Amino acid sequence: MDLLTLVERIGEAPAAALLGLMTGVIFGVAAQRSRFCLRAATVEFARGRMGDKVAVWLLTFSTAVVWVQGAQYLGLFRAEDARIMAVPGSWSGAVIGGLLFGVGMVLARGCSGRLLVLAATGNLRSVVSGLVFAVVAQMSLSGWLAPTRDKLAALSVTAGGQNMDLLAALGLPDIAGLMFGIVVAGVALAVAAHNRIGGWRLIFASGVGFAVAVGWVSTYALSQIAFDPVAIESATFTGPSANTLMFFLDHTTVLEFDIGLVPGVFLGAFVASWLTGEFKFQGFEDEANMRRALTGAALMGFGGMLAGGCAIGNGVTGGSVFAGTAWLALVCMWMGAMVTDVLVDQRGLRATA
């Protein structure tokens, strides 16, 4: 069945949700099996190591760039039509939100996407932290925290009524994005070889990047045949977590790509963990651990909404289309996470040594 037939049978909104579900399942399976995690990569890097976690992150990021830029080169997708590119971006939001998100993901021991994957494997710490993340994200979107978010985001915005295309701003040819992805993939494979990472883990790591491309290409294809405007988007977890929460709490919330994405990731990660015998219920170790995790989740909820996306939404999805604010937010997430690891976790390790 092609996409047009699907839309004619079930309608545009359910079709968008189904595309989100498909993207989410691919992401969930690949992320669970590869143990993809930006927080783990930043911590490893902060401690002076280029280990397996850095290799997995680099491979995921680079393959997302290769798949997305390759799709654009073949005419299957237009980055300038993507929602993240078609609206103004916030430089101040990227900096402040990115730093807060980086701090939060170290405290919570996982970014929002990683928490969702872990929750599906029976990690009750991640279930609770994920709910706090979604609630604070919703408060930042349209609740009590929205005015503060708006003020901080308005401090500095991109010019021209849209986000900055880094490739265009640097005067680079269209093929430059694809070439950059291939080079970074080569670096990732070299780091992976040095750490003797198994082939299957590398395949699943690249699968996370492939899921991002699936989201972009499928929503673009839907936008070309839909009667009503369709947002061209892909994997991100700040806005979708808030929207999915409201969908289950408020029956007036309409179906869209976001509503299918989050359940899809949960389903994919759950099936992958169940089939491999890795599903296991886990709880908080103690009160201090719970307090730390919930604080981190709250910081990620506000920071991710302010930054315009989470570690996946900015760091992989936005990065794959070279959105200026996404790259800045990613850099700030790395900085916030590394500083927090040095000041909190590494100091704690030294104190107990």
Side-chain angles (χ1 to χ4, degrees):
M1 182 188 299
D2 60 21
L3 186 57
L4 179 59
T5 303
L6 179 65
V7 170
E8 290 174 344
R9 287 191 178 183
I10 67 175
E12 295 173 6
L18 191 59
L19 294 177
L21 181 71
M22 175 183 66
T23 301
V25 168
I26 297 171
F27 184 101
V29 171
Q32 196 280 328
R33 298 308 304 144
S34 66
R35 298 190 292 281
F36 167 79
C37 179
L38 176 61
R39 193 277 308 178
T42 58
V43 168
E44 191 174 70
F45 190 76
R47 299 181 184 186
R49 299 196 302 270
M50 291 287 284
D52 64 309
K53 299 173 182 63
V54 172
V56 167
W57 188 88
L58 285 174
L59 187 57
T60 292
F61 173 78
S62 60
T63 51
V65 173
V66 169
W67 280 108
V68 172
Q69 293 297 313
Q72 181 167 243
Y73 190 74
L74 294 174
L76 301 175
F77 167 68
R78 282 167 45 96
E80 57 264 37
D81 294 335
R83 181 163 65 179
I84 193 173
M85 300 297 293
V87 298
S90 170
W91 298 118
S92 55
V95 173
I96 301 170
L99 290 171
L100 289 175
F101 192 97
V103 172
M105 70 180 180
V106 170
L107 294 179
R109 291 190 167 86
C111 71
S112 49
R114 181 61 178 167
L115 291 181
L116 180 58
V117 171
L118 289 176
T121 66
N123 190 315
L124 301 180
R125 300 191 304 269
S126 295
V127 172
V128 176
S129 298
L131 286 173
V132 171
F133 167 79
V135 169
V136 174
Q138 181 60 42
M139 291 171 64
S140 305
L141 176 65
S142 57
W144 290 357
L145 295 175
T148 302
R149 177 184 63 84
D150 290 339
K151 289 178 182 179
L152 293 175
L155 293 176
S156 178
V157 297
T158 55
Q162 59 187 11
N163 211 324
M164 176 186 286
D165 183 334
L166 288 178
L167 295 180
L170 295 172
L172 298 174
D174 294 340
I175 197 68
L178 179 59
M179 294 297 100
F180 172 81
I182 292 173
V183 170
V184 177
V187 173
L189 290 174
V191 177
H194 177 74
N195 289 278
R196 299 179 179 179
I197 301 176
W200 279 111
R201 190 178 180 193
L202 295 179
I203 290 172
F204 282 116
S206 64
V208 180
F210 176 69
V212 169
V214 168
W216 281 131
V217 172
S218 62
T219 54
Y220 176 78
L222 180 60
S223 73
Q224 301 303 295
I225 61 174
F227 179 78
D228 295 320
V230 172
I232 301 171
E233 55 191 324
S234 189
T236 184
F237 295 104
T238 309
S241 294
N243 292 337
T244 303
L245 176 66
M246 292 309 298
F247 178 78
F248 288 108
L249 295 178
D250 182 4
H251 69 278
T252 61
T253 304
V254 298
L255 280 172
E256 55 184 349
F257 180 87
D258 290 358
I259 305 302
L261 177 68
V262 173
V265 173
F266 189 91
L267 176 62
F270 169 75
V271 171
S273 65
W274 184 269
L275 292 178
T276 55
E278 295 183 6
F279 184 89
K280 179 183 178 182
F281 285 113
Q282 302 175 61
F284 287 103
E285 298 170 2
D286 50 40
E287 180 184 344
N289 182 265
M290 181 176 184
R291 184 168 56 248
R292 168 184 165 138
L294 299 188
T295 300
L299 289 173
M300 284 195 294
F302 181 75
M305 194 60 72
L306 176 58
C310 62
I312 305 298
N314 278 317
V316 182
T317 299
S320 69
V321 295
F322 291 89
T325 58
W327 277 70
L328 179 59
L330 174 62
V331 171
C332 290
M333 287 175 188
W334 273 82
M335 292 173 57
M338 291 175 63
V339 169
T340 304
D341 178 65
V342 171
L343 296 180
V344 178
D345 288 345
Q346 290 190 41
R347 177 179 291 182
L349 290 174
R350 289 193 295 268
T352 57

Short mmCIF file of all heavy atoms in Angstrom, two decimals, residues 262-307:
data_model
loop_
_atom_site.label_atom_id
_atom_site.label_comp_id
_atom_site.label_asym_id
_atom_site.label_seq_id
_atom_site.Cartn_x
_atom_site.Cartn_y
_atom_site.Cartn_z
N VAL A 262 6.21 8.89 20.24
CA VAL A 262 6.57 8.48 21.60
C VAL A 262 6.11 7.05 21.91
O VAL A 262 6.91 6.23 22.38
CB VAL A 262 6.02 9.48 22.63
CG1 VAL A 262 6.23 8.98 24.05
CG2 VAL A 262 6.70 10.84 22.44
N PRO A 263 4.83 6.69 21.64
CA PRO A 263 4.45 5.28 21.85
C PRO A 263 5.24 4.32 20.98
O PRO A 263 5.52 3.19 21.40
CB PRO A 263 2.96 5.27 21.46
CG PRO A 263 2.50 6.68 21.65
CD PRO A 263 3.68 7.51 21.26
N GLY A 264 5.63 4.76 19.78
CA GLY A 264 6.41 3.91 18.90
C GLY A 264 7.78 3.59 19.47
O GLY A 264 8.24 2.44 19.42
N VAL A 265 8.45 4.60 20.04
CA VAL A 265 9.75 4.38 20.66
C VAL A 265 9.61 3.42 21.84
O VAL A 265 10.41 2.49 22.01
CB VAL A 265 10.36 5.71 21.13
CG1 VAL A 265 11.64 5.46 21.95
CG2 VAL A 265 10.68 6.60 19.94
N PHE A 266 8.59 3.65 22.66
CA PHE A 266 8.36 2.78 23.82
C PHE A 266 8.12 1.35 23.37
O PHE A 266 8.70 0.40 23.93
CB PHE A 266 7.16 3.29 24.61
CG PHE A 266 6.97 2.61 25.93
CD1 PHE A 266 7.55 3.12 27.09
CD2 PHE A 266 6.22 1.44 26.03
CE1 PHE A 266 7.39 2.48 28.32
CE2 PHE A 266 6.06 0.80 27.25
CZ PHE A 266 6.65 1.31 28.39
N LEU A 267 7.27 1.17 22.36
CA LEU A 267 6.96 -0.17 21.87
C LEU A 267 8.20 -0.86 21.31
O LEU A 267 8.47 -2.03 21.62
CB LEU A 267 5.87 -0.08 20.79
CG LEU A 267 5.49 -1.39 20.09
CD1 LEU A 267 4.92 -2.39 21.10
CD2 LEU A 267 4.49 -1.12 18.97
N GLY A 268 8.97 -0.14 20.49
CA GLY A 268 10.17 -0.73 19.89
C GLY A 268 11.19 -1.14 20.93
O GLY A 268 11.76 -2.24 20.86
N ALA A 269 11.43 -0.26 21.91
CA ALA A 269 12.41 -0.58 22.96
C ALA A 269 11.92 -1.72 23.84
O ALA A 269 12.72 -2.57 24.26
CB ALA A 269 12.69 0.67 23.80
N PHE A 270 10.62 -1.74 24.12
CA PHE A 270 10.08 -2.82 24.95
C PHE A 270 10.24 -4.17 24.27
O PHE A 270 10.71 -5.14 24.89
CB PHE A 270 8.59 -2.57 25.24
CG PHE A 270 7.90 -3.75 25.86
CD1 PHE A 270 8.10 -4.07 27.20
CD2 PHE A 270 7.05 -4.55 25.11
CE1 PHE A 270 7.47 -5.17 27.77
CE2 PHE A 270 6.42 -5.65 25.66
CZ PHE A 270 6.63 -5.96 27.00
N VAL A 271 9.87 -4.26 23.01
CA VAL A 271 9.97 -5.52 22.27
C VAL A 271 11.43 -5.96 22.19
O VAL A 271 11.75 -7.15 22.40
CB VAL A 271 9.37 -5.37 20.86
CG1 VAL A 271 9.67 -6.61 20.02
CG2 VAL A 271 7.86 -5.16 20.95
N ALA A 272 12.33 -5.02 21.90
CA ALA A 272 13.75 -5.37 21.79
C ALA A 272 14.29 -5.89 23.12
O ALA A 272 15.04 -6.88 23.15
CB ALA A 272 14.54 -4.15 21.33
N SER A 273 13.94 -5.23 24.22
CA SER A 273 14.44 -5.67 25.52
C SER A 273 13.82 -6.99 25.95
O SER A 273 14.49 -7.83 26.58
CB SER A 273 14.17 -4.60 26.58
OG SER A 273 12.78 -4.43 26.80
N TRP A 274 12.56 -7.21 25.63
CA TRP A 274 11.87 -8.44 26.01
C TRP A 274 12.45 -9.64 25.25
O TRP A 274 12.72 -10.69 25.84
CB TRP A 274 10.39 -8.30 25.73
CG TRP A 274 9.58 -9.48 26.18
CD1 TRP A 274 9.26 -10.59 25.45
CD2 TRP A 274 9.02 -9.69 27.48
NE1 TRP A 274 8.52 -11.46 26.21
CE2 TRP A 274 8.35 -10.94 27.46
CE3 TRP A 274 8.99 -8.94 28.65
CZ2 TRP A 274 7.70 -11.44 28.58
CZ3 TRP A 274 8.34 -9.43 29.75
CH2 TRP A 274 7.70 -10.68 29.71
N LEU A 275 12.65 -9.46 23.95
CA LEU A 275 13.14 -10.57 23.13
C LEU A 275 14.59 -10.94 23.47
O LEU A 275 15.00 -12.08 23.26
CB LEU A 275 13.03 -10.22 21.64
CG LEU A 275 11.61 -10.10 21.08
CD1 LEU A 275 11.64 -9.70 19.62
CD2 LEU A 275 10.84 -11.42 21.26
N THR A 276 15.35 -9.98 23.97
CA THR A 276 16.75 -10.25 24.28
C THR A 276 16.97 -10.54 25.77
O THR A 276 18.12 -10.67 26.21
CB THR A 276 17.63 -9.05 23.87
OG1 THR A 276 17.14 -7.86 24.50
CG2 THR A 276 17.62 -8.88 22.36
N GLY A 277 15.89 -10.62 26.53
CA GLY A 277 16.00 -10.94 27.95
C GLY A 277 16.56 -9.82 28.80
O GLY A 277 17.05 -10.06 29.91
N GLU A 278 16.47 -8.59 28.32
CA GLU A 278 17.02 -7.46 29.07
C GLU A 278 15.95 -6.67 29.82
O GLU A 278 16.27 -5.69 30.50
CB GLU A 278 17.80 -6.53 28.13
CG GLU A 278 19.03 -7.18 27.53
CD GLU A 278 19.83 -6.22 26.66
OE1 GLU A 278 19.48 -5.02 26.62
OE2 GLU A 278 20.79 -6.67 26.02
N PHE A 279 14.69 -7.07 29.69
CA PHE A 279 13.63 -6.38 30.43
C PHE A 279 13.75 -6.73 31.91
O PHE A 279 13.78 -7.89 32.29
CB PHE A 279 12.26 -6.79 29.90
CG PHE A 279 11.12 -6.04 30.56
CD1 PHE A 279 10.68 -4.84 30.04
CD2 PHE A 279 10.52 -6.53 31.71
CE1 PHE A 279 9.65 -4.15 30.64
CE2 PHE A 279 9.49 -5.84 32.32
CZ PHE A 279 9.05 -4.64 31.80
N LYS A 280 13.83 -5.70 32.74
CA LYS A 280 14.01 -5.91 34.17
C LYS A 280 13.52 -4.69 34.94
O LYS A 280 13.89 -3.57 34.63
CB LYS A 280 15.49 -6.15 34.49
CG LYS A 280 15.79 -6.36 35.95
CD LYS A 280 17.28 -6.51 36.17
CE LYS A 280 17.62 -6.68 37.65
NZ LYS A 280 19.08 -6.80 37.87
N PHE A 281 12.66 -4.92 35.94
CA PHE A 281 12.17 -3.81 36.75
C PHE A 281 13.28 -3.30 37.66
O PHE A 281 13.98 -4.07 38.31
CB PHE A 281 10.96 -4.24 37.59
CG PHE A 281 9.70 -4.39 36.78
CD1 PHE A 281 9.12 -5.63 36.60
CD2 PHE A 281 9.11 -3.28 36.21
CE1 PHE A 281 7.97 -5.78 35.86
CE2 PHE A 281 7.95 -3.41 35.46
CZ PHE A 281 7.37 -4.65 35.29
N GLN A 282 13.44 -1.97 37.69
CA GLN A 282 14.43 -1.33 38.55
C GLN A 282 13.80 -0.09 39.17
O GLN A 282 12.97 0.57 38.55
CB GLN A 282 15.66 -0.90 37.75
CG GLN A 282 16.36 -2.04 37.03
CD GLN A 282 17.50 -1.54 36.17
OE1 GLN A 282 18.45 -0.95 36.66
NE2 GLN A 282 17.39 -1.77 34.87
N GLY A 283 14.20 0.25 40.38
CA GLY A 283 13.68 1.42 41.07
C GLY A 283 14.78 2.36 41.49
O GLY A 283 15.96 2.16 41.17
N PHE A 284 14.41 3.41 42.22
CA PHE A 284 15.41 4.34 42.74
C PHE A 284 16.23 3.67 43.83
O PHE A 284 15.72 2.89 44.62
CB PHE A 284 14.72 5.59 43.30
CG PHE A 284 14.16 6.51 42.25
CD1 PHE A 284 12.80 6.54 41.98
CD2 PHE A 284 14.99 7.36 41.54
CE1 PHE A 284 12.28 7.38 41.02
CE2 PHE A 284 14.48 8.21 40.57
CZ PHE A 284 13.12 8.22 40.32
N GLU A 285 17.51 4.01 43.87
CA GLU A 285 18.40 3.42 44.87
C GLU A 285 18.13 4.00 46.26
O GLU A 285 18.14 3.28 47.25
CB GLU A 285 19.86 3.68 44.46
CG GLU A 285 20.23 3.02 43.13
CD GLU A 285 21.58 3.48 42.63
OE1 GLU A 285 22.24 4.28 43.34
OE2 GLU A 285 21.98 3.07 41.53
N ASP A 286 17.91 5.32 46.32
CA ASP A 286 17.65 5.97 47.60
C ASP A 286 17.01 7.33 47.34
O ASP A 286 16.79 7.73 46.20
CB ASP A 286 18.94 6.13 48.42
CG ASP A 286 20.07 6.77 47.62
OD1 ASP A 286 19.79 7.71 46.85
OD2 ASP A 286 21.22 6.34 47.76
N GLU A 287 16.74 8.05 48.42
CA GLU A 287 16.07 9.35 48.31
C GLU A 287 16.92 10.36 47.55
O GLU A 287 16.41 11.13 46.72
CB GLU A 287 15.75 9.89 49.70
CG GLU A 287 15.05 11.24 49.69
CD GLU A 287 14.83 11.79 51.08
OE1 GLU A 287 14.94 11.01 52.05
OE2 GLU A 287 14.58 13.00 51.20
N ALA A 288 18.23 10.37 47.82
CA ALA A 288 19.11 11.32 47.15
C ALA A 288 19.14 11.08 45.65
O ALA A 288 19.13 12.03 44.85
CB ALA A 288 20.52 11.22 47.73
N ASN A 289 19.16 9.81 45.25
CA ASN A 289 19.16 9.46 43.84
C ASN A 289 17.87 9.92 43.17
O ASN A 289 17.88 10.44 42.04
CB ASN A 289 19.33 7.95 43.70
CG ASN A 289 19.40 7.50 42.25
OD1 ASN A 289 18.40 7.10 41.67
ND2 ASN A 289 20.58 7.56 41.67
N MET A 290 16.75 9.76 43.86
CA MET A 290 15.46 10.18 43.32
C MET A 290 15.40 11.70 43.18
O MET A 290 14.96 12.23 42.16
CB MET A 290 14.33 9.70 44.22
CG MET A 290 12.95 10.07 43.73
SD MET A 290 11.64 9.36 44.79
CE MET A 290 10.18 9.88 43.88
N ARG A 291 15.87 12.41 44.20
CA ARG A 291 15.86 13.87 44.16
C ARG A 291 16.72 14.39 43.00
O ARG A 291 16.33 15.32 42.29
CB ARG A 291 16.37 14.42 45.50
CG ARG A 291 16.33 15.93 45.62
CD ARG A 291 16.56 16.38 47.05
NE ARG A 291 17.83 15.87 47.58
CZ ARG A 291 17.91 14.97 48.54
NH1 ARG A 291 16.82 14.44 49.08
NH2 ARG A 291 19.10 14.56 48.99
N ARG A 292 17.86 13.78 42.83
CA ARG A 292 18.76 14.17 41.74
C ARG A 292 18.11 13.94 40.37
O ARG A 292 18.14 14.81 39.50
CB ARG A 292 20.06 13.39 41.86
CG ARG A 292 20.96 13.49 40.65
CD ARG A 292 22.19 12.63 40.79
NE ARG A 292 22.84 12.47 39.50
CZ ARG A 292 24.14 12.51 39.31
NH1 ARG A 292 24.96 12.73 40.34
NH2 ARG A 292 24.66 12.36 38.11
N ALA A 293 17.51 12.77 40.19
CA ALA A 293 16.91 12.42 38.91
C ALA A 293 15.75 13.33 38.55
O ALA A 293 15.60 13.77 37.40
CB ALA A 293 16.45 10.96 38.93
N LEU A 294 14.91 13.63 39.53
CA LEU A 294 13.74 14.47 39.25
C LEU A 294 14.14 15.91 38.98
O LEU A 294 13.52 16.59 38.15
CB LEU A 294 12.75 14.39 40.42
CG LEU A 294 12.18 13.00 40.72
CD1 LEU A 294 11.07 13.09 41.75
CD2 LEU A 294 11.67 12.34 39.44
N THR A 295 15.18 16.38 39.66
CA THR A 295 15.69 17.72 39.38
C THR A 295 16.22 17.79 37.95
O THR A 295 15.95 18.75 37.21
CB THR A 295 16.83 18.09 40.36
OG1 THR A 295 16.32 18.06 41.70
CG2 THR A 295 17.37 19.47 40.06
N GLY A 296 16.97 16.76 37.56
CA GLY A 296 17.50 16.71 36.20
C GLY A 296 16.40 16.66 35.16
O GLY A 296 16.47 17.32 34.11
N ALA A 297 15.36 15.88 35.42
CA ALA A 297 14.25 15.77 34.48
C ALA A 297 13.55 17.11 34.30
O ALA A 297 13.17 17.49 33.18
CB ALA A 297 13.26 14.71 34.97
N ALA A 298 13.36 17.84 35.41
CA ALA A 298 12.72 19.15 35.33
C ALA A 298 13.57 20.13 34.52
O ALA A 298 13.05 20.89 33.69
CB ALA A 298 12.47 19.69 36.73
N LEU A 299 14.89 20.12 34.75
CA LEU A 299 15.78 20.99 33.98
C LEU A 299 15.73 20.65 32.49
O LEU A 299 15.75 21.56 31.64
CB LEU A 299 17.21 20.86 34.50
CG LEU A 299 17.49 21.47 35.88
CD1 LEU A 299 18.91 21.12 36.33
CD2 LEU A 299 17.31 22.99 35.85
N MET A 300 15.66 19.37 32.17
CA MET A 300 15.56 18.98 30.77
C MET A 300 14.24 19.41 30.15
O MET A 300 14.19 19.84 28.99
CB MET A 300 15.73 17.46 30.62
CG MET A 300 17.14 16.97 30.76
SD MET A 300 17.35 15.28 30.14
CE MET A 300 16.34 14.36 31.30
N GLY A 301 13.14 19.32 30.91
CA GLY A 301 11.85 19.72 30.38
C GLY A 301 11.81 21.18 29.99
O GLY A 301 11.36 21.53 28.89
N PHE A 302 12.31 22.05 30.87
CA PHE A 302 12.33 23.48 30.56
C PHE A 302 13.42 23.80 29.54
O PHE A 302 13.19 24.52 28.57
CB PHE A 302 12.56 24.30 31.83
CG PHE A 302 12.59 25.78 31.59
CD1 PHE A 302 11.42 26.48 31.34
CD2 PHE A 302 13.79 26.47 31.59
CE1 PHE A 302 11.43 27.85 31.10
CE2 PHE A 302 13.83 27.83 31.35
CZ PHE A 302 12.64 28.53 31.11
N GLY A 303 14.63 23.24 29.75
CA GLY A 303 15.73 23.52 28.86
C GLY A 303 15.47 23.05 27.43
O GLY A 303 15.78 23.75 26.47
N GLY A 304 14.89 21.85 27.30
CA GLY A 304 14.61 21.33 25.97
C GLY A 304 13.58 22.17 25.23
O GLY A 304 13.71 22.42 24.03
N MET A 305 12.55 22.62 25.94
CA MET A 305 11.54 23.45 25.29
C MET A 305 12.12 24.81 24.92
O MET A 305 11.82 25.36 23.85
CB MET A 305 10.33 23.60 26.22
CG MET A 305 9.09 24.14 25.53
SD MET A 305 8.49 23.10 24.18
CE MET A 305 7.83 21.68 25.09
N LEU A 306 12.96 25.38 25.79
CA LEU A 306 13.60 26.65 25.49
C LEU A 306 14.56 26.54 24.32
O LEU A 306 14.63 27.44 23.47
CB LEU A 306 14.34 27.15 26.74
CG LEU A 306 15.15 28.44 26.61
CD1 LEU A 306 14.27 29.61 26.16
CD2 LEU A 306 15.85 28.77 27.93
N ALA A 307 15.31 25.43 24.27
CA ALA A 307 16.30 25.23 23.20
C ALA A 307 15.67 24.84 21.87
O ALA A 307 16.37 24.79 20.86
CB ALA A 307 17.31 24.18 23.63
#
